[in-house]
């Protein structure tokens, strides 16, 4: 069996058409888009086209697009731009389940003179708009709410949240890295000031992203330097990657329907197949309002890293919110914010599909994973109704983090 | 992805001694489902010898491999011998663990001790209730932390987290960890009464100091009487590399000197597991 790649929220395969579009810009067309000569000028034209392609996918104008080196840079640039433009305002609102690109920046800012309000989510990972309304203050400088969560796929009510902020005159940023290409997004109908996307989540290469800045929204460059990007981001453009991102946005528009039909059907087949075959498994996240490609399933009594490594033996790539894979000692901040019990959080596996996946691959995983789980459960001292599990109820453990 | 040794992978994919033992007379349990790893160790002890060992583990690959390694290590040992098995022995058996995963080997050692306490009819001690609770997030006590520092020669708070998990949650206890560490590192590491039963398990530094002391005080004077001498060259865990000097170098029975007198003296005074080797010239 070849590699079964079900980790598309981590990164995606570069579409062959994207690669083909990029290649000439490594070899023959190596000019600098800022140059005065025709040789560079033709590259400048290609960059302009790519900007139009990116803008078109989200309903923006090309002038509203700033190319960045990644999603993280886009998030950092947008938030810092809003803060720098309103130095007297010292309050930031975001959610507990943001990607670290937003969350760790916010926490850093909190240590440096800002007040931070982290909005919670319910057990399905959903935010409460009322809570947002109440959190907004006179000195709120920015509200940042992700479009869709990378771990669970839960989609946030960005249009409503942005409307609330607009009404109150507070700039609004959304990290749409997981949503662009999977969901139809049109900034003409979405009152956001800043929106961030990242190439490698939609079959463009890693290390390229784009920041949408609504015309009229406050802006300060994060990278100061040359006059590239109309002075909004210094640094000679990563031309091949920009060309690739443009092509990927074109393809995304063309394939959006497939993402929401065929890919969604594959995801559902995988999820239902696994839930039917494996007892004590639950889906994390909002079952209805969810990215079409993502399912996050917790298998009780077993640990995520062990599952991943056994899946790896079978050529299957996925990821986990378990402590052992997060590089920290605690399970994913997203699952914890949702109040998923630690007993489930440690055994969570995220499968994220793409249009390159097939039904055969789904069936392979549905066939093999039950054996993997059974094997690990056999090894585990815990099982349904076991004494050990009953003992969990007792406050034997002083670990407050355990939640037991 | 973690860089696991082939041995860790092999023991994870084909763990030895998985399951429960119906006729176990010693059972040790540590960890919990909630904490992310747990180990239940079953021993069958006949007389004072561990004749069989099995385990059930909930945890990541290195937790499973550490449990497997532990059972392999202790099968056939006497209880006394088994009590000398440290988390480092487990890690070494596996060709090393990623530093962030050392707590998996510590869990093995704790389960073993819990099982032996159980066999002796001593009350089971939850991982969290011995000594003063320092890390609320993971229920780690000062005793566990100090012990991990001593036995593994830990030098930083980060290392404490790798070995005990303490500090890996909210981070509130980090200051307390630093204090414990400072107290340990600042303290003179040489045991005043090395022969007393006290802490048998020594840190590298402690062991080195003690070896030096015994060499100076006991061994060199004896060899010098015979016109010989000895020098400590290096130490690697419990292996002591020495160079023989003076008369000893030409003495045909120098090997006997090493194995007999030097090793025995060090074993008596420092650690029963000491092996003395002649350093390569
Ligand atoms: C929601 C979200 N935001 C931001 C990022 C960061 O994007 P990049 O890797 O391009 O910096 C990611 C990617 O992991 C993501 O999933
Ligand atoms: S108290 Fe130790 S990490 Fe929270």
């Amino acid at each position: 069996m070849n590699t079964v790649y079900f980790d598309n929220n981590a990164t995606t395969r570069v579409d062959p058409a994207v690669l083909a579009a990029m290649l000439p810009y490594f070899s023959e067309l190596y000019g600098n888009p800022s140059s005065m000569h025709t040789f560079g000028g033709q590259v400048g034209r290609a960059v302009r086209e790519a900007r139009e392609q990116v803008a078109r996918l989200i309903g923006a104008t090309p002038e509203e697009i700033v190319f960045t080196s990644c999603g993280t840079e886009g998030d950092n640039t947008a938030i810092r731009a809003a803060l720098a433009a309103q130095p007297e305002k010292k309050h930031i609102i975001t959610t507990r389940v943001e990607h670290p690109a937003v969350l760790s920046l916010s926490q850093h800012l909190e240590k440096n003179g800002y007040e931070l309000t982290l909005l919670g989510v319910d057990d399905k990972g959903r935010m409460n708009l009322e809570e947002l309304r109440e959190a907004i203050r006179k000195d709120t400088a920015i509200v940042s709410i992700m479009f869709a969560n990378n771990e669970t796929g839960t989609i946030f009510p960005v249009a409503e949240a942005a409307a609330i902020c607009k009404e109150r005159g507070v700039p609004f940023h959304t990290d749409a890295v997981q949503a662009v290409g999977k969901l139809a997004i049109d900034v003409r109908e979405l009152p956001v000031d800043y929106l961030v996307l990242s190439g490698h989540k939609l079959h463009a290469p890693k290390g390229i992203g784009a920041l949408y800045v609504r015309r009229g929204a406050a802006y300060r460059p994060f990278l100061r330097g040359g006059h590239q990007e109309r002075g909004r981001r210094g640094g000679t453009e990563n031309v091949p990657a920009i060309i690739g991102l443009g092509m990927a946005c074109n393809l995304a528009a063309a394939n959006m329907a497939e993402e929401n039909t065929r890919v969604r059907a594959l995801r559902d087949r995988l999820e239902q197949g696994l839930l039917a075959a494996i007892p004590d498994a639950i889906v994390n996240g909002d079952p209805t309002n969810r990215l079409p490609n993502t399912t996050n399933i917790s298998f009780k009594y077993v640990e995520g890293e062990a599952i991943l490594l056994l899946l790896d033996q079978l050529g299957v790539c996925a990821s986990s919110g378990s402590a052992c894979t997060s590089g920290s000692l605690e399970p994913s901040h997203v699952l914890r914010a949702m109040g998923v019990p630690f007993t489930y959080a440690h055994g969570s596996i995220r499968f994220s599909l793409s249009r390159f996946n097939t039904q055969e691959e789904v069936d392979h995983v549905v066939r093999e994973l039950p054996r993997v789980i059974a094997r690990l459960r056999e090894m585990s001292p815990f099982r349904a109704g076991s004494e050990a599990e009953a003992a969990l109820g007792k406050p034997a453990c002083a670990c407050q983090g355990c939640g037991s | 992805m973690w860089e696991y040794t082939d041995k860790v992978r092999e023991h994870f994919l084909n763990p030895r001694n998985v399951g429960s033992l119906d006729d176990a007379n010693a059972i040790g349990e540590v960890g919990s489902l909630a904490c992310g790893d747990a180990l239940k160790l079953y021993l069958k002890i006949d007389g004072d010898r561990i004749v069989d060992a099995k385990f059930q583990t909930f945890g990541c690959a290195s937790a499973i491999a550490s449990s497997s390694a532990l059972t392999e290590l202790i099968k056939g040992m006497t209880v006394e011998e088994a009590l000398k098995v440290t988390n480092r022995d487990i890690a070494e058996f596996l060709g090393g663990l990623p530093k962030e995963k050392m707590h998996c080997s510590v869990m093995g050692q704790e389960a073993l001790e819990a099982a032996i306490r159980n066999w002796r009819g001593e009350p089971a001690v939850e991982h969290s209730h011995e000594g003063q609770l320092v890390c609320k997030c993971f229920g780690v006590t000062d005793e566990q932390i100090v012990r991990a520092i001593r036995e593994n020669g830990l030098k930083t708070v980060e290392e404490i987290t790798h070995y005990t998990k303490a500090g890996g949650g909210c981070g509130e206890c980090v200051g307390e960890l630093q204090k414990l560490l400072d107290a340990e590192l600042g303290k003179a590491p040489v045991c005043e009464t090395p022969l007393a039963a006290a802490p048998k398990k020594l840190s590298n530094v402690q062991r080195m100091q003690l070896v030096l002391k015994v060499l100076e005080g006991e061994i060199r004077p004896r060899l010098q009487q015979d016109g010989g001498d000895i020098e400590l060259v290096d130490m690697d865990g419990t292996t002591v590399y020495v160079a023989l000097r003076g008369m000893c170098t030409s003495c045909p029975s120098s090997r006997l000197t090493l194995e007999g007198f030097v090793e025995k003296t060090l074993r008596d005074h420092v650690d029963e597991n000491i092996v003395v080797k002649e350093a390569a010239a």
Side-chain angles (χ1 to χ4, degrees):
Chain A
M1 187 85 195
N2 296 328
T3 299
V4 175
Y5 189 76
F6 283 176
D7 203 9
N8 286 280
N9 286 10
T11 196
T12 60
R13 169 181 178 178
V14 172
D15 190 295
V18 169
L19 179 64
M22 291 172 67
L23 286 176
Y25 295 89
F26 286 107
S27 44
E28 308 95 69
L29 299 172
Y30 55 81
N32 187 322
S34 303
S35 294
M36 291 320 283
H37 40 70
T38 321
F39 184 64
Q42 61 185 343
V43 175
R45 212 157 37 242
V47 168
R48 210 151 48 237
E49 252 166 60
R51 196 183 307 280
E52 282 163 16
Q53 291 168 321
V54 174
R56 206 175 303 131
L57 179 65
I58 59 169
T61 62
E63 298 72 44
E64 292 172 312
I65 300 296
V66 180
F67 288 117
T68 61
S69 68
C70 57
T72 303
E73 186 194 324
D75 288 331
N76 273 259
T77 304
I79 292 172
R80 286 188 181 276
L83 298 183
Q86 315 161 83
E88 71 295 346
K89 297 194 174 170
K90 292 288 181 198
H91 180 225
I92 299 168
I93 300 176
T94 183
T95 77
R96 283 181 64 192
V97 297
E98 294 298 313
H99 186 274
V102 170
L103 196 55
S104 72
L105 169 66
S106 305
Q107 286 161 344
H108 169 76
L109 291 166
E110 188 184 20
K111 289 202 188 82
N112 288 277
Y114 283 87
E115 266 186 73
L116 178 61
T117 300
L118 292 179
L119 303 174
V121 294
D122 69 8
D123 59 345
K124 301 274 185 271
R126 295 173 297 210
M127 71 170 288
N128 179 342
L129 289 167
E130 273 320 300
E131 210 184 312
L132 168 65
R133 231 186 273 277
E134 280 162 26
I136 295 174
R137 311 192 315 212
K138 275 204 167 57
D139 66 337
T140 303
I142 182 92
V143 173
S144 173
I145 291 174
M146 71 197 322
F147 210 106
N149 185 267
N150 43 305
E151 292 189 26
T152 61
T154 297
I155 298 171
F156 282 76
V158 168
E160 293 84 344
I164 292 171
C165 293
K166 191 172 177 195
E167 200 184 287
R168 305 279 291 270
V170 181
F172 185 91
H173 160 254
T174 183
D175 174 344
V177 166
Q178 291 293 347
V180 173
K182 298 173 193 150
L183 303 174
I185 292 175
D186 189 335
V187 292
R188 285 166 299 196
E189 288 159 14
L190 198 68
V192 301
D193 296 288
Y194 312 94
L195 180 146
V196 168
L197 63 97
S198 175
H200 71 109
K201 312 287 183 178
L202 65 152
H203 307 290
K206 296 156 190 67
I208 185 70
L211 164 61
Y212 158 82
V213 184
R214 182 176 296 279
R215 174 191 223 115
Y219 192 82
R220 301 285 185 279
F222 187 47
L223 281 187
R224 288 176 192 277
H227 55 268
Q228 294 91 352
E229 301 295 296
R230 295 167 50 240
R232 296 181 150 207
R233 184 196 189 263
T236 299
E237 300 85 339
N238 183 353
V239 173
I242 288 173
I243 304 301
L245 179 60
M247 175 59 89
C249 286
N250 261 7
L251 294 174
N255 290 307
M256 190 88 68
E258 185 185 355
E259 286 279 349
N260 286 283
T261 52
R262 192 179 73 81
V263 175
R264 180 188 293 273
L266 286 180
R267 188 275 312 268
D268 290 345
R269 183 182 176 93
L270 175 69
E271 183 172 288
Q272 282 151 21
L274 292 177
L275 291 181
I278 304 173
D280 292 308
I282 56 164
V283 174
N284 298 310
D286 189 339
T288 44
N289 233 343
R290 192 163 47 140
L291 290 176
N293 76 321
T294 308
T295 178
N296 185 314
I297 309 182
S298 280
F299 304 98
K300 209 173 175 186
Y301 312 118
V302 287
E303 195 279 331
E305 187 207 270
I307 303 172
L308 287 186
L309 289 183
L310 290 180
L311 280 177
D312 192 53
Q313 294 288 111
L314 299 165
V316 178
C317 311
S319 62
S320 169
S322 93
C324 288
T325 53
S326 66
S328 75
L329 291 163
E330 297 195 316
S332 125
H333 71 285
V334 176
L335 299 183
R336 273 188 293 147
M338 290 161 59
V340 174
F342 272 42
T343 50
Y344 273 106
H346 286 297
S348 73
I349 301 289
R350 176 189 71 187
F351 299 98
S352 45
L353 281 59
S354 81
R355 57 189 163 84
F356 288 104
N357 291 124
T358 64
Q359 178 165 327
E360 197 189 349
E361 292 173 329
V362 166
D363 292 346
H364 174 64
V365 173
V366 171
R367 211 168 33 242
E368 297 294 340
L369 187 61
R371 280 182 233 171
V372 165
I373 302 294
R375 176 170 162 192
L376 290 170
R377 282 187 177 163
E378 221 150 86
M379 235 186 264
S380 170
F382 307 117
R383 59 211 58 207
S386 70
E387 272 173 65
E389 197 195 3
L392 278 176
K394 288 191 247 148
C397 185
C399 290
Q400 295 187 350
C402 284
S404 80
Chain B
M1 185 152 217
W2 300 108
E3 291 290 332
Y4 286 131
T5 63
D6 291 343
K7 195 103 188 256
V8 171
R9 286 187 155 264
E10 205 270 316
H11 273 262
F12 165 61
L13 295 173
N14 307 295
R16 325 289 198 272
N17 313 309
V18 176
S20 58
L21 266 184
D22 287 340
D23 53 351
N25 53 1
I27 296 179
E29 277 180 89
V30 291
S32 78
L33 195 48
C35 285
D37 42 25
L39 165 56
K40 189 166 182 180
L41 180 67
Y42 301 81
L43 304 180
K44 188 177 173 204
I45 302 177
D46 191 2
D48 68 341
R49 197 164 288 279
I50 299 172
V51 293
D52 205 356
K54 289 211 170 195
F55 77 90
Q56 290 174 320
T57 290
F58 160 75
C60 57
S62 56
I64 290 169
S66 293
S67 312
S68 171
L70 169 69
T71 53
E72 287 288 275
L73 273 170
I74 60 173
K75 264 213 255 180
M77 280 187 174
T78 64
V79 170
E80 279 312 305
E81 287 164 346
L83 277 175
K84 292 199 189 76
V85 171
T86 66
N87 67 289
R88 277 186 310 154
D89 296 329
I90 296 170
E92 272 166 32
F93 181 91
L94 292 168
L97 285 171
K99 60 185 192 315
E100 294 86 351
K101 295 282 192 169
M102 285 305 289
H103 59 85
C104 294
S105 66
V106 173
M107 183 169 77
Q109 185 185 2
E110 288 179 353
L112 175 61
E113 286 165 1
I116 292 174
R117 270 199 304 271
N118 171 257
W119 175 69
R120 288 178 169 162
E122 292 164 18
V125 187
E126 278 294 327
H127 69 287
S128 44
H129 306 130
E130 211 173 345
Q132 192 72 33
L133 189 65
V134 174
C135 178
K136 295 194 306 287
C137 290
F138 290 101
V140 190
T141 64
D142 54 355
E143 279 188 25
Q144 286 172 302
I145 291 159
V146 166
R147 183 172 163 194
I149 295 173
R150 285 190 190 156
E151 290 184 0
N152 298 287
L154 307 185
K155 298 277 180 303
T156 64
V157 169
E158 197 188 3
E159 285 177 338
I160 296 179
T161 306
H162 294 332
Y163 279 73
T164 66
K165 294 192 177 185
C170 68
E172 248 172 46
C173 60
V174 165
E176 195 60 32
L177 297 180
Q178 187 66 54
K179 268 191 229 153
L180 287 171
L181 190 65
D182 290 345
E184 278 304 305
L185 295 184
K187 208 163 76 183
V190 180
C191 292
E192 291 310 320
T193 50
L195 297 177
K200 272 254 163 122
K201 284 167 193 149
L202 304 169
S203 73
N204 276 334
V205 178
Q206 287 173 316
R207 193 181 296 116
M208 172 89 82
Q209 303 261 9
L210 206 48
V211 164
L212 273 174
K213 193 168 146 180
V214 174
L215 271 178
E216 288 304 315
E218 307 267 358
I219 298 173
R220 292 190 63 202
R222 281 287 304 280
L223 294 183
Q224 282 163 353
Q225 280 174 9
D226 296 332
D229 208 345
I230 193 168
E231 215 174 272
L232 177 65
V233 176
D234 201 357
M235 275 190 69
D236 182 6
T238 50
T239 308
V240 178
Y241 294 92
V242 297
L244 292 169
R245 306 273 185 237
M247 292 290 283
C248 290
T249 51
S250 55
C251 172
S253 59
S254 65
R255 277 190 55 111
L256 290 179
T257 307
L258 274 187
E259 281 169 15
F261 170 64
V262 178
E263 194 167 273
K264 179 165 188 318
T265 311
L266 286 174
R267 284 185 176 182
D268 285 349
H269 288 78
V270 184
D271 187 328
E272 286 191 4
N273 297 318
I274 293 259
V275 177
V276 176
K277 290 195 176 154
E278 191 162 13

